[in-house]
């Protein structure tokens, strides 16, 4: 075991304060846990953020740069440390720490921890991706999204942490921007008392930072981060509900004002997630779309459907008879990301191509006489959807994974959804929320209606949880794991439905 360290001195402006100045007593700075992410065959990003008083501005730290030691070992006792170093946590970036560890072996587990100010962090476990030339037999992953702190407890994360997974895909709504009352919303048996600043909607950098800190104090969320590397993308609530590129949901807000808020939100996102330094935003721009390879078994394309999209058609929300949604000039991905994606998928030699993104791609008619469609989803951007699905017809093994909507759906994807007799070209697994929406229920009149009006839907369920998946060389299996409750602690998990789909003949079949 590592011996407890000498007290280290703060540094100011990069220069060490020398002499006899004692280090301030700041308390345990690791209240936000640890995380790893963006696994490559030889490396992974390690993350933590120093915050001895996490619910306060600046995490209760003075505006000084603080050194942080890190270690990577092959055992959880840290008897075989194979990488180590010292980095700094700077106040300009909320005392966040990002370590881009390199020189690791492909496809294996590692353990990591940090040390600062006389304190050791919790231990995290991570896993590198398989070698580029490897031919793995399987990839195990989970799909998760939407963890409104105010809507329920994170027992789903605790259950997820005990699964056997190679990687977790988090598909957006890591935080929600709305005001939170002093008792933390619907966490009914909580003894929590939040500072008044949480009753403000997030728009400044400090408020976004404090919002991440509140979420990260949750021990179940910390356990899920510490168990596996995560690959994350955002959806809308990391900035503001249903924003589109530079357009606020409130049309009276000028674009230049909204972009200031977006810059604050993106900066806090970067600070609080295990992302590589090239992802660091410049003002209101942050490049988040990227690819991961898991040998020749799977390539995962992580998409950003918020930053570059055309404003929602026909005034957003549920609409009937909106022709504008089919305008070929409308885009969800933006031309650059779309061309990147189509080029990569079109040339992919992987057995499977995973599109890890935010919003439901399958057509989803809400039924009834109006039979409306949601303009915020791919239904509002049919030109980009058609281009992707046409490419999928030539690319076996396309799997779309989605979040956003707080329901579980399993869907066969077709180029023309009104032709159910035509073969599916891909499958979509829409994962429900971790907590957003509260307990939910297996079925609702709306879900019944959607099943009736959308023959390509194999499942529509309204409980909380996540989707556990395993890709084999020739088939995919998905288990929809659902929670008995989230508004009280101690929710149990069970498998609501399981599906398989063949790589060369896509179509979800009950397992
Ligand atoms: Fe959400």
């Amino acid at each position: 075991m590592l011996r407890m360290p000498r007290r280290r001195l703060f540094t100011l402006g990069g220069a060490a304060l020398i002499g006899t100045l004692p280090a301030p007593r700041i308390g345990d700075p690791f209240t936000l846990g640890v995380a790893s992410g963006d696994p490559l065959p030889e490396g992974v990003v390690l993350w933590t953020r120093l915050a001895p008083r996490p619910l306060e501005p600046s995490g209760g730290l003075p505006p000084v740069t603080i050194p942080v030691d890190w270690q990577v070992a092959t055992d959880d006792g840290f008897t075989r440390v194979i990488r180590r170093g010292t980095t700094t946590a700077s106040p300009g970036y909320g005392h966040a720490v990002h370590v881009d560890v390199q020189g690791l072996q492909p496809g294996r587990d590692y353990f990591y921890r940090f040390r600062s100010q006389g304190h050791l962090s919790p231990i995290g476990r991570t896993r590198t991706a398989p070698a580029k030339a490897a031919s793995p037999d399987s990839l195990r992953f989970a799909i998760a999204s939407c963890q409104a702190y105010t809507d329920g407890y994170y027992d789903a994360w605790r259950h997820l942490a005990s699964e056997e997974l190679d990687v977790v895909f988090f598909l957006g709504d890591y935080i929600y921007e709305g005001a939170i009352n002093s008792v933390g919303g619907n966490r009914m048996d909580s003894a929590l008392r939040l500072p008044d600043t949480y009753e403000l909607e997030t728009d400044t950098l400090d408020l976004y930072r404090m919002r991440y800190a509140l979420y990260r104090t949750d021990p179940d969320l910390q356990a899920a981060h510490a168990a596996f590397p995560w690959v994350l993308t955002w959806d809308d609530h990391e900035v503001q509900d249903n924003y589109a590129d530079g357009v606020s949901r409130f049309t009276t807000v000028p674009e230049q004002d909204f972009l200031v808020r977006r810059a604050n939100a993106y900066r806090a996102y970067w600070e609080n997630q295990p992302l590589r330094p090239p992802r660091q935003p410049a003002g209101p721009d942050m490049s988040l779309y990227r690819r991961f390879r898991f040998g020749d078994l799977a390539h995962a394309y992580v998409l950003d459907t918020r930053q570059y999209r055309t404003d929602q058609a026909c005034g957003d929300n549920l609409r009937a008879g909106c022709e504008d949604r089919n305008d070929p000039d409308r885009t969800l991905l933006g031309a650059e990301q779309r061309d990147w994606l189509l080029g990569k998928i079109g040339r992919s030699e992987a057995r499977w191509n995973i599109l890890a993104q935010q919003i439901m791609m399958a057509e989803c008619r809400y039924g009834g006489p109006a039979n409306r469609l949601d303009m915020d989803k791919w239904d509002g951007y049919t030109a980009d959807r058609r281009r992707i699905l046409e490419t999928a017809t030539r690319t076996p093994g396309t799997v779309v994974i989605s979040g956003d909507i707080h329901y579980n759906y399993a869907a066969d994807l077709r180029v023309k959804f009104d032709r159910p007799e035509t073969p599916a070209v891909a499958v979509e697994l829409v994962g429900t929320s971790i907590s957003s929406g509260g307990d939910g229920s297996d079925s609702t009149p709306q879900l019944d209606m959607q099943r009736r009006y959308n023959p390509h839907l194999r499942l529509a369920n309204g409980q909380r949880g996540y989707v556990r998946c395993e890709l084999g060389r020739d088939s995919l299996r998905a288990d929809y794991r659902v929670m008995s409750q989230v508004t009280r602690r101690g929710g149990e998990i069970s498998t609501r439905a399981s599906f398989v789909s063949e790589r060369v003949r896509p179509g979800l079949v009950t397992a």
Side-chain angles (χ1 to χ4, degrees):
M1 289 293 287
L2 192 79
R3 259 170 249 105
M4 287 305 279
R6 297 160 274 126
R7 273 205 174 269
R8 289 179 169 270
L9 295 179
F10 283 163
T11 58
L12 189 59
L17 290 177
I18 50 170
T20 57
L21 188 67
R25 291 168 194 271
I26 62 166
D28 181 2
F30 296 111
T31 60
L32 305 181
V34 299
S36 72
D38 283 12
L40 302 177
E42 291 87 29
V44 69
V45 180
L46 308 181
W47 175 93
T48 191
R49 187 179 140 205
L50 308 184
R53 295 194 297 278
L55 303 185
E56 295 181 12
S58 306
L61 284 173
V64 294
T65 296
I66 300 172
V68 181
D69 301 328
W70 57 270
Q71 292 182 322
V72 175
T74 55
D75 64 312
D76 62 0
F78 288 81
T79 58
R80 293 184 298 278
V81 172
I82 50 103
R83 287 283 180 281
R84 71 173 78 227
T86 300
T87 184
T88 53
S90 100
Y93 289 94
H95 290 105
V97 173
H98 297 82
V99 180
D100 187 4
V101 182
Q102 295 170 3
L104 303 179
Q105 297 294 312
R108 65 167 298 169
D109 288 342
Y110 291 96
F111 299 87
Y112 61 94
R113 64 182 173 186
F114 301 90
R115 184 177 66 176
S116 189
Q117 305 301 307
H119 294 270
L120 280 171
S121 77
I123 293 169
R125 179 182 62 184
T126 191
R127 186 169 177 79
T128 48
K132 197 176 151 195
S135 293
D137 288 331
S138 81
L139 178 71
R140 301 160 303 179
F141 61 93
I143 304 165
S145 66
C146 295
Q147 52 168 357
Y149 184 91
T150 51
D151 282 5
Y153 292 98
Y154 289 165
D155 290 279
W157 283 132
R158 185 169 44 81
H159 293 294
L160 181 142
S162 63
E163 304 276 8
E164 291 189 15
L165 303 172
D166 298 305
V167 62
V168 172
F169 288 101
F170 188 88
L171 302 180
D173 290 356
Y174 193 97
I175 59 163
Y176 284 71
E177 77 278 23
I180 301 179
N181 65 22
S182 63
V183 293
N186 294 332
R187 292 192 168 202
M188 299 301 285
D189 58 347
S190 171
L192 192 72
R193 287 294 175 273
L194 295 177
D196 292 346
T197 42
Y198 283 88
E199 296 191 24
L200 298 170
E201 179 162 328
T202 55
D203 57 1
T204 67
L205 178 55
D206 268 352
L207 288 173
Y208 279 112
R209 283 171 171 166
M210 290 167 66
R211 191 60 59 94
Y212 281 99
L214 171 65
Y215 280 57
R216 289 271 183 156
T217 54
D218 185 281
D220 296 325
L221 175 59
Q222 290 189 13
H225 273 295
F228 311 109
W230 288 29
V231 170
L232 297 109
T233 187
W234 55 37
D235 193 20
D236 50 343
H237 287 285
E238 285 88 348
V239 181
Q240 182 202 48
D241 185 31
N242 280 24
Y243 83 97
D245 189 357
V247 181
S248 167
R249 72 170 311 184
F250 302 110
T251 46
T252 51
V253 175
E255 176 160 329
Q256 67 267 28
D257 289 357
F258 181 71
L259 288 178
V260 172
R261 178 175 182 174
R262 195 175 95 176
N264 293 334
Y266 284 7
R267 175 131 165 179
Y269 187 84
W270 147 258
E271 289 174 359
N272 283 280
Q273 303 298 1
L275 296 164
R276 285 199 166 73
R279 302 286 151 207
Q280 188 171 324
D285 301 315
M286 178 165 158
S287 172
L288 196 59
Y289 65 89
R290 58 211 193 277
R291 178 182 66 163
F292 296 92
R293 289 185 278 198
F294 300 90
D296 72 348
L297 182 62
H299 292 179
Y301 308 88
V302 182
L303 305 183
D304 174 357
T305 62
R306 287 289 162 192
Q307 192 175 179
Y308 315 107
R309 68 159 70 190
T310 315
D311 193 20
Q312 288 89 347
C314 300
D316 201 359
N317 302 316
L318 296 178
R319 300 288 171 204
C322 174
E323 283 307 312
D324 194 22
R325 73 191 185 94
N326 300 316
D327 182 343
D329 291 335
R330 296 179 52 73
T331 180
L332 189 60
L333 299 175
E336 195 177 309
Q337 179 179 204
R338 183 185 61 221
D339 293 347
W340 167 86
L341 175 66
L342 295 177
K344 284 272 192 288
I345 300 179
R347 291 192 304 274
S348 173
E349 293 180 347
R351 305 281 294 174
W352 298 93
N353 291 285
I354 304 168
L355 275 60
Q357 53 90 49
Q358 298 75 14
I359 54 179
M360 188 167 181
M361 185 178 282
E363 185 173 275
C364 188
R365 296 191 168 277
Y366 278 64
N371 207 9
R372 295 174 301 176
L373 296 159
D374 190 341
M375 295 301 109
D376 189 56
K377 313 289 187 283
W378 288 84
D379 275 334
Y381 302 83
T382 58
D384 273 2
R385 177 168 69 190
R386 189 179 324 104
R387 289 184 183 107
I388 288 172
L389 292 177
E390 282 171 354
T391 303
T393 62
R394 304 184 294 274
T395 312
T398 302
V399 180
V400 179
I401 61 175
S402 320
D404 168 55
I405 199 166
H406 312 169
Y407 293 111
N408 283 307
Y409 297 100
D412 293 338
L413 298 179
R414 296 189 164 82
V415 177
K416 292 188 170 136
F417 287 96
D418 59 354
R419 300 270 311 276
E421 73 283 4
T422 58
V425 301
V427 296
E428 180 177 22
L429 310 171
V430 183
T432 187
S433 60
I434 290 291
S435 60
S436 304
D439 292 329
S441 60
D442 182 45
S443 204
T444 66
Q446 179 192 301
L447 291 170
D448 292 343
M449 191 84 102
Q450 288 172 344
R451 263 192 301 268
R452 201 164 343 131
Y453 279 79
N454 299 280
H456 48 277
L457 292 185
R458 297 282 169 264
L459 173 71
N461 160 276
Q463 288 166 280
R464 307 286 76 85
Y466 54 88
V467 188
R468 182 181 66 197
C469 302
E470 181 161 6
L471 288 179
R473 302 293 294 176
D474 299 307
S475 69
L476 152 76
R477 181 187 173 99
D479 299 309
Y480 285 78
R481 306 276 280 158
V482 297
M483 295 292 295
S484 58
Q485 61 182 21
V486 296
T487 57
R488 293 284 184 278
R489 286 190 195 280
E492 292 303 316
I493 200 146
S494 60
T495 299
R496 167 64 180 78
S498 297
F499 297 95
V500 293
S501 177
E502 289 178 41
R503 189 180 81 91
V504 294
R505 204 177 314 118
L508 293 163
V509 177
T510 301

